[in-house]
Amino acid sequence: MFYREAGQFKSSYKEDQAVFPILQDRIGVGITLAIAFIGIPLFGGEYFISAIMIPFLILALAAIGLNILTGYAGQISLGTGGFMAVGAFAAYKFATWTIVIGQFEGTIPLVLTILLSGVVAAIVGILFGIPSLRIKGFYLAVATLAAQFFIEWVLVKFGWFTNYSPSGIITAPKLEILGYVFSSPAEKYILTLSFVVVLAMAAKNLVRSHIGRGWMAIRDMDIAAEIIGFKPLQTKLSAFAVSSFFCGVAGALWAFIHLGTVEPEAFGINRSFSILFMVIIGGMGSIMGAFIGAAFILLLPIFLSNVPPMIGWDIGVDMVAHMEFMIFGALIIFFLIVEPHGLARLWSIGKEKLRSWPFPY
Amino acid sequence: MEDLWFELLFFLEVLFSGLLTGSLYSLVALGFVLIFKASGVFNFAQGAMMLFAALSLVGFQEMLGVHWTVAFLLAFAVMIVLAWCVEKFVLGKLVNQEPIILFMATIGITFFLDGFGQTVWGSDIKVLDIGLPTGSFDMGGIFIDKLELVAGATAAGLVFVLAVFFNKTKIGRALRAVADDHQAAMSVGISLRYIWIVVWSVAGLVGLVAGIMWGSKLGVQFSLSLIALKALPVLMLGGFTSIPGAIIGGLIIGSGEKLAEIYIGPFVGGAIENWFAYMLALVFLLFRPQGLFGEKIIERV
Amino acid sequence: MEEQNRQIGDVLLAVEDISLSFGAVRAISDVSFNIKKGEIRAIIGPNGAGKTSMLNCINGFYHPQQGTISYKGITRNQMKPYEAAAQGIGRTFQNVALFKGMSTLDNIMTGRNLKMKSSLLSSVIWWGAAQKEELEHRRFVEDIIDFLEIEAIRKTPVGRLPYGLQKRVELGRALAAEPELLLLDEPMAGMNLEEKEDMCRFILDVNDEFGTTICLIEHDMGVVMDISDRVMVLDYGGKIADGTPEEVRADQNVIDAYLGGGH
C-alpha cells in the first residue's frame, strides 16, 4: 500500500537508470542520511559513536572493496587485511613526509594523504592480481594468502615503514584539515562518514557502469566474456586495483581514526576472514550488502558478550569466549543455509513483499 | 675439504628434516584432498578437525585412563559422529550451492569446532603421549629426528592405503563419481549422504593421525589448527584433487621452507617461514595453474 | 525463399587446411572453406563432427595446430578472442552462455562493451560523460530489444527466463556489438515451431537490413535448406561436402553420413 511503484512513470532512460528509481526509496535514503549526518552526532553517546558507528563505517568500506573483487568480479580474495595494512602504512609515510620546496615546508593534506594511500594499495593490489590471469578459483584464494602473509612480513621487517620507531608502536598523526582539528568522537565520526558516503557512491556508480558489467561478465562466464570482447587482463586487474583502493583507504581510516595507532596486527588474517564474512553474509554483489554485513559481524560479538549477563546467565569469561566462537560458527552456517545470497537478498525480498502489502501477492 | 663435507652433511640434515616435516604437511593436506575430491568442498575446518581429534584422544586417555589404542578408536568414533553431524546439519542443507558458500560454511564449522573443543576439553596445552619415540639418531653424521621419521613412514603407509581405497574399491569409485558431478552421481543411485559421511569420516581419521603426529611434536593446543594454513600451499602445489600431489607437494614445500629459512633467511632478516611456502607455490602455479597433478580443465563453450 | 537484392560480395573469412587436436583426439582434420560477405553460410553434420570447434577457432578461442585463418584478407595467428571480437566477429553459443547474474538489459549492454570508452575515473563520477555514453548505448540496445520483441523481460534476471527466450537474449547480445560476421551455434535448438519461425525471421532480417554475414550451425534441415546460401558438411572432423543447399542435399556422401535414407 505504501511501497508501490504504481503511478511513478519513467519517461526517459535516465530516470529509469537512477540508483533509487522508486520515490519511497529516495525518501528512505534521505531520511537515513539525515539521521546519519545530523541525528547521530547530536544524540549518539560517545561509546556508541566510537566503538560502534566508526568501526562499522570503516569496515563497511573495506567490505565494499572486497565485494567489488569477490562479489562483482568473482575473484576470491583472502588478502583483504594485507591491502588494508598497505593503506594504513602508506598513509603514515605520506603523513610524516615533510616536503621542502624552496621556502615552503609542509606535509600533505589529510584527505590527499588518505586518497594517495588508497592509490598505493591499488598498485600493490594490481601486482598481486597479476596471477589471477592464470590462476582461478580456490587456487587464487590461496595465492591471495601469499599476499597477506608477505605484506605482513614486509611491514614488520623493514623499519622504514615505521620510520624506525624504537618501540614499534606508532601513533597516528593528528586529524587536521585546513587548521580544524577533528578530535572528539562526533567530529571523527563526521569525517569518517563523509569519506564513506562519497566512496560508497563512487562504488555504486562504478558497478552500474560498463566497467561493473565487465566484472560481472568475467565472474559469470569468463570465456564467453572474452569472446564477446572483454579483455580479461584489464578487467581483472581493474577489479583488483579498485578493490585494493577501497581496502587501502579503509585501512588508513582504521589506523588514523579508529585505532589512533598504525600496527600490522590489526590487519592480520583474522581481519581478512572477518571482512569476507561481512561480504558473504551481507550479500555478494551488493553495495548495500557490505553495510548490512559489517553491521552484523560488528554487532554480533557485542551482542553475544552482553546478552548472557543481561538474562542473568553467569558463565566464566573464558567460557564466554569459547561459546562466542561456537555461536558465531553456528550462525554463519545458519545464514548460509537460509539465504546464501546474504541479508541484502532478504532485504530485497522483504521490499518485494512490501510492494504488495497488505495483499499476499 | 673437511668443511665441504660438513656443509654437505648439514645440507642433507636440513633437507631430511624438511622432507619429514613436509610429510607431516602432506598428512594434513591429505584430509583436504579427500574431501575436495569427493565432495568438491574446500574444507577449511580440516585443521580444527585435527585439533578436535587430538583433543579427544588425549581427553579419553586422561579421563578413562585407557591405553592409547582404545583412546584412538574412541576418538575415531567421535570423528565419525562429527562427520554425520556435518552432513546432517551443514552439507545436506547446502547441496548444490556455489563452492564459495560451502567454503564459508566450513569456516563456520571451524569456529564452532574450536569453541566446542575448548568448551568440552579445556583450553590448556595438553601433552600427547602415545609412546612415539623421541629424540634423534645418528645416521652416518646426519641427525634424524625419530618422531619425524615415524610420521613420515605413517604418512606413506596411509597414502598407500588411501590410494588403493580410491582406485580399487566400489566405494572409492562412487567417491570419484560424486566428486565429478553430484547430480549425475545421484541419478545413478549413489547416496550422496552416505558418501559424504564416509569421506568426512576418513578425513577425520587422517586428521586424527595428523593430529597425533603434530600433537606429539608440539603439544595439543589451539595453534594446531593453524597448521592447516601451512597445508594450503601444499595443495596449491600438488593440486587440490591429487593424493600423490599432496605427498610430493608436501615434500617440496617442507624441504623448500626449511632450506630457505636456513640458507636465505639470514640475508633478509629471518622469519620467512610465514610466507615462503606460499610464494613458492604461487610462482609454481604461474607455470602450472592446476598444480602438479591437479586436473587440467579443458574449457568448452 | 525469394532471392532479395542481397549483395553477396567477396570472401570475408577464409579457412585453409585447419587441423585441431586435443591431445590425442583429432577434432578437425584439414578443413578448408570460406564465407563470403553478406551470405548466410551453414555448417551441418552429425554430433561431434567438429562444428562448434570450428567456430571456436574462428573466434580465437581454440588455436589450430595447423592451417591458417584469414579475415578481411589478413591472416591471423594465435588471435585472442577479444581481438576477434574487436575485429567484428560476434557469436552465440550452443549452451546459452549468458551472464546469469545479470538482467536481460544488462546482458545485451555487455555486448556494447567494445564501443564504450568511458574511463574508470569518468565512470566513478558518472554524472557527465559516462552517463551520457551509457544513455546513448541504452538507446541502441533498446532498439535491439524492440527488434527482438523482448521488451517485457528486459529487467528480468536471465537465469529465470525460459530457454527459448534466453537464446533470443543471447542473439541480442551478439547483435549489440554490431558484428560484421555473426557466428550462431544452434540458435534454434530446443525451440518449438513458432519460436523457430521467429528466430529465422530475426536472422534473415539481420542479414537483410544490416548486411551482417551469418555463419550458422544448425540441425533443422528445413531451416538450413530454406535460409542458407551455401552449406558445408562436416563429419568426424573432415569436410565431406560444400555447396548450395540443393547440391548438398543430393550429395551421396552427405546422405550416407547424416541425412539418412540410404540404409
Side-chain angles (χ1 to χ4, degrees):
Chain A
M1 189 196 313
F2 299 109
Y3 192 65
R4 282 210 148 264
E5 345 180 272
Q8 299 177 28
F9 296 107
K10 306 285 175 290
S11 50
S12 73
Y13 296 131
K14 190 161 162 185
E15 286 176 23
D16 191 46
Q17 273 180 334
V19 178
F20 300 109
I22 305 177
L23 181 63
Q24 287 90 333
D25 270 338
R26 285 204 281 266
I27 297 180
V29 170
I31 296 179
T32 313
L33 284 176
I35 297 179
F37 273 101
I38 308 174
I40 292 184
L42 280 183
F43 301 114
E46 258 195 37
Y47 174 77
F48 180 66
I49 294 182
S50 312
I52 299 187
M53 285 312 289
I54 291 183
F56 160 66
L57 287 174
I58 302 178
L59 291 177
L61 190 64
I64 291 179
L66 183 60
N67 219 333
I68 288 179
L69 186 58
T70 300
Y72 283 97
Q75 314 293 309
I76 308 180
S77 165
L78 299 176
T80 317
F83 296 123
M84 287 175 77
V86 171
F89 278 88
Y92 179 70
K93 293 299 292 180
F94 280 125
T96 53
W97 183 26
T98 349
I99 312 176
V100 183
I101 313 176
Q103 284 181 315
F104 177 77
E105 185 183 309
T107 52
I108 308 178
L110 182 68
V111 176
L112 196 56
T113 303
I114 296 188
L115 291 178
L116 278 176
S117 69
V119 172
V120 172
I123 296 175
V124 173
I126 292 180
L127 235 83
F128 280 101
I130 293 179
S132 73
L133 300 168
R134 291 273 286 170
I135 313 174
K136 300 189 182 174
F138 285 120
Y139 292 101
L140 182 64
V142 183
T144 56
L145 277 182
Q148 171 74 43
F149 292 132
F150 185 71
I151 292 176
E152 266 183 71
W153 178 80
V154 167
L155 290 174
V156 169
K157 250 322 143 190
F158 297 101
W160 180 76
F161 292 104
T162 53
N163 284 342
Y164 302 103
S165 144
S167 64
I169 304 177
I170 345 166
T171 2
K174 252 185 342 189
L175 301 167
E176 187 183 323
I177 301 184
L178 297 176
Y180 182 84
V181 177
F182 292 81
S183 53
S184 78
E187 287 167 342
K188 291 190 194 173
Y189 164 77
I190 298 276
L191 182 61
T192 314
L193 184 65
S194 316
F195 264 106
V196 173
V197 166
V198 168
L199 287 176
M201 228 164 40
K204 188 73 190 171
N205 285 341
L206 258 187
V207 301
R208 63 177 171 148
S209 73
H210 71 102
I211 297 177
R213 277 193 294 267
W215 292 335
M216 291 193 273
I218 292 279
R219 172 196 70 193
D220 285 344
M221 268 218 176
D222 55 346
I223 301 170
E226 196 180 346
I227 293 184
I228 65 172
F230 287 100
K231 299 197 185 122
L233 179 69
Q234 289 185 342
T235 316
K236 286 184 183 173
L237 289 186
S238 68
F240 271 97
V242 172
S243 166
S244 306
F245 176 82
F246 275 81
C247 294
V249 170
L253 291 175
W254 189 257
F256 279 28
I257 299 185
H258 178 62
L259 290 179
T261 66
V262 187
E263 50 188 47
E265 292 75 32
F267 305 113
I269 189 168
N270 284 318
R271 178 71 60 202
S272 301
F273 274 111
S274 149
I275 310 228
L276 184 60
F277 284 136
M278 293 179 197
V279 168
I280 305 255
I281 293 201
M284 293 211 276
S286 155
I287 300 289
M288 179 160 79
F291 285 96
I292 300 179
F296 183 82
I297 299 288
L298 190 65
L299 293 177
L300 191 62
I302 299 180
F303 183 77
L304 285 179
S305 54
N306 284 332
V307 164
M310 265 164 38
I311 58 177
W313 199 6
D314 187 26
I315 344 167
V317 181
D318 253 9
M319 206 51 136
V320 171
H322 298 323
M323 297 213 62
E324 267 182 36
F325 265 67
M326 282 172 62
I327 298 182
F328 188 64
L331 270 176
I332 290 186
I333 297 176
F334 176 72
F335 269 107
L336 288 175
I337 295 174
V338 162
E339 183 47 81
H341 290 107
L343 295 171
R345 171 66 64 92
L346 279 179
W347 172 254
S348 47
I349 292 179
K351 285 207 309 190
E352 269 189 50
K353 290 248 146 79
L354 200 57
R355 267 173 159 120
S356 42
W357 184 79
F359 303 106
Y361 58 84
Chain B
M1 208 44 219
E2 261 287 314
D3 268 346
L4 203 60
W5 178 243
F6 181 68
E7 277 304 315
L8 182 63
L9 277 185
F10 182 61
F11 171 78
L12 284 176
E13 198 172 288
V14 174
L15 181 65
F16 257 63
S17 173
L19 285 175
L20 290 173
T21 314
S23 67
L24 284 176
Y25 288 149
S26 301
L27 262 185
V28 185
L30 213 53
F32 278 105
V33 169
L34 282 175
I35 293 187
F36 193 80
K37 219 167 146 68
S39 53
V41 177
F42 181 20
N43 177 26
F44 192 76
Q46 191 64 31
M49 278 165 64
M50 200 170 84
L51 173 62
F52 190 70
L55 274 176
S56 304
L57 179 79
V58 174
F60 284 128
Q61 254 188 326
E62 283 178 5
M63 240 175 47
L64 305 175
V66 291
H67 189 251
W68 72 264
T69 40
V70 178
F72 183 90
L73 288 171
L74 285 174
F76 183 34
V78 166
M79 296 314 282
I80 296 181
V81 170
L82 178 66
W84 183 87
C85 289
V86 165
E87 193 285 322
K88 186 153 178 75
F89 297 113
V90 183
L91 291 186
K93 312 260 190 224
L94 290 173
V95 180
N96 271 333
Q97 288 295 350
E98 291 150 29
I100 189 171
I101 304 280
L102 291 163
F103 169 64
M104 294 301 294
T106 63
I107 301 188
I109 299 176
T110 308
F111 274 96
F112 186 83
L113 262 188
D114 275 344
F116 186 62
Q118 296 191 359
T119 308
V120 173
W121 301 114
S123 51
D124 29 309
I125 304 180
K126 304 196 188 316
V127 171
L128 189 136
D129 184 11
I130 63 169
L132 288 179
T134 50
S136 45
F137 68 93
D138 187 344
M139 189 176 92
I142 307 175
F143 283 92
I144 301 184
D145 187 290
K146 288 188 199 161
L147 180 62
E148 290 183 353
L149 193 60
V150 170
T154 314
L158 199 56
V159 163
F160 180 71
V161 167
L162 285 172
V164 166
F165 178 67
F166 260 99
N167 289 321
K168 306 281 184 213
T169 66
K170 192 173 102 169
I171 284 199
R173 192 168 47 238
L175 283 169
R176 284 184 286 143
V178 168
D180 239 1
D181 189 332
H182 288 178
Q183 296 209 301
M186 282 200 284
S187 73
V188 294
I190 298 177
S191 160
L192 277 187
R193 288 201 60 205
Y194 179 65
I195 293 292
W196 283 345
I197 296 178
V198 168
V199 167
W200 282 69
S201 302
V202 175
L205 176 66
V206 171
L208 177 57
V209 174
I212 292 177
M213 296 301 156
W214 280 101
S216 300
K217 199 165 137 86
L218 302 176
V220 181
Q221 49 173 317
F222 185 64
S223 61
L224 218 55
S225 63
L226 298 177
I227 304 277
L229 284 179
K230 272 293 168 60
L232 297 183
V234 172
L235 288 171
M236 273 165 86
L237 202 70
F240 274 64
T241 50
S242 159
I243 293 181
I247 308 304
I248 304 200
L251 293 177
I252 296 179
I253 294 282
S255 46
E257 201 180 56
K258 271 271 159 53
L259 288 171
E261 183 68 40
I262 300 286
Y263 288 105
I264 308 180
F267 293 114
V268 281
I272 64 176
E273 292 182 310
N274 286 343
W275 54 264
F276 184 78
Y278 282 91
M279 279 304 189
L280 184 61
L282 178 60
V283 168
F284 188 82
L285 271 190
L286 289 175
F287 296 103
R288 240 193 113 84
Q290 70 275 26
L292 269 175
F293 296 99
E295 284 153 13
K296 186 153 193 205
I297 314 162
I298 298 186
E299 309 195 271
R300 314 203 49 159
V301 229
Chain C
M1 271 271 103
E2 19 170 310
E3 289 295 315
Q4 324 251 1
N5 286 347
R6 279 155 59 231
Q7 306 277 4
I8 298 190
D10 300 323
V11 171
L12 182 63
L13 182 92
V15 170
E16 315 254 342
D17 291 320
I18 294 282
S19 290
L20 177 73
S21 308
F22 299 107
V25 178
R26 209 107 201 271
I28 303 178
S29 307
D30 301 312
V31 172
S32 304
F33 75 106
N34 61 35
I35 306 179
K36 295 197 183 133
K37 190 159 165 48
E39 75 170 333
I40 298 184
R41 191 80 152 98
I43 302 180
I44 66 176
N47 281 322
K51 312 187 294 290
T52 300
S53 299
M54 179 59 79
L55 289 194
N56 285 341
C57 287
I58 300 177
N59 271 127
F61 179 53
Y62 291 157
H63 297 125
Q65 282 77 18
Q66 251 178 268
T68 57
I69 303 181
S70 320
Y71 182 64
K72 294 202 256 203
I74 309 174
T75 313
R76 21 161 285 195
N77 287 322
Q78 306 295 94
M79 182 178 272
K80 291 264 168 52
Y82 55 85
E83 288 170 354
Q87 300 253 322
I89 302 181
R91 172 81 192 265
T92 68
F93 301 88
Q94 193 171 6
N95 304 313
V96 178
L98 287 175
F99 305 121
K100 292 286 186 326
M102 299 196 243
S103 66
T104 301
L105 180 61
D106 279 332
N107 263 279
I108 304 183
M109 286 291 274
T110 63
R112 283 313 272 175
N113 173 63
L114 287 165
K115 315 259 179 214
M116 299 190 77
K117 303 280 178 229
S118 301
S119 67
L120 195 96
L121 196 56
S122 155
S123 300
V124 165
I125 300 174
W126 185 253
W127 295 284
Q131 185 178 42
K132 196 161 147 260
E133 192 188 49
E134 179 91 4
L135 290 171
E136 238 177 71
H137 291 292
R138 170 81 187 260
R139 237 162 251 137
F140 187 85
V141 165
E142 288 285 346
D143 283 339
I144 295 183
I145 291 179
D146 270 343
F147 173 66
L148 292 171
E149 296 163 12
I150 48 177
E151 298 93 331
I153 53 164
R154 62 156 87 73
K155 292 284 174 82
T156 322
V158 296
R160 288 205 219 145
L161 295 173
Y163 189 67
L165 280 179
Q166 284 188 7
K167 285 214 151 250
R168 220 189 275 190
V169 172
E170 209 191 20
L171 179 61
R173 182 180 68 181
L175 291 177
E178 296 177 81
E180 285 181 48
L181 172 62
L182 185 55
L183 308 173
L184 304 173
D185 199 340
E186 300 195 31
M188 308 189 204
M191 289 188 179
N192 62 31
L193 188 58
E194 270 179 39
E195 289 170 329
K196 280 194 191 180
E197 285 180 357
D198 282 336
M199 202 51 132
C200 267
R201 183 166 41 96
F202 295 136
I203 296 177
L204 288 171
D205 278 345
V206 164
N207 175 255
D208 195 27
E209 282 179 41
F210 308 120
T212 313
T213 312
I214 311 242
C215 176
L216 83 153
I217 296 176
E218 194 37 67
H219 280 298
D220 184 328
M221 278 307 108
V223 166
V224 169
M225 298 306 163
D226 247 356
I227 70 173
S228 347
D229 296 310
R230 287 192 296 155
V231 180
M232 169 174 76
V233 189
L234 291 179
D235 190 24
Y236 288 112
K239 180 164 90 164
I240 61 175
D242 190 354
T244 65
E246 293 73 32
E247 289 168 10
V248 161
R249 188 166 27 197
D251 186 315
Q252 192 56 43
N253 290 332
V254 175
I255 294 174
D256 288 342
Y258 186 46
L259 292 177
H263 306 273

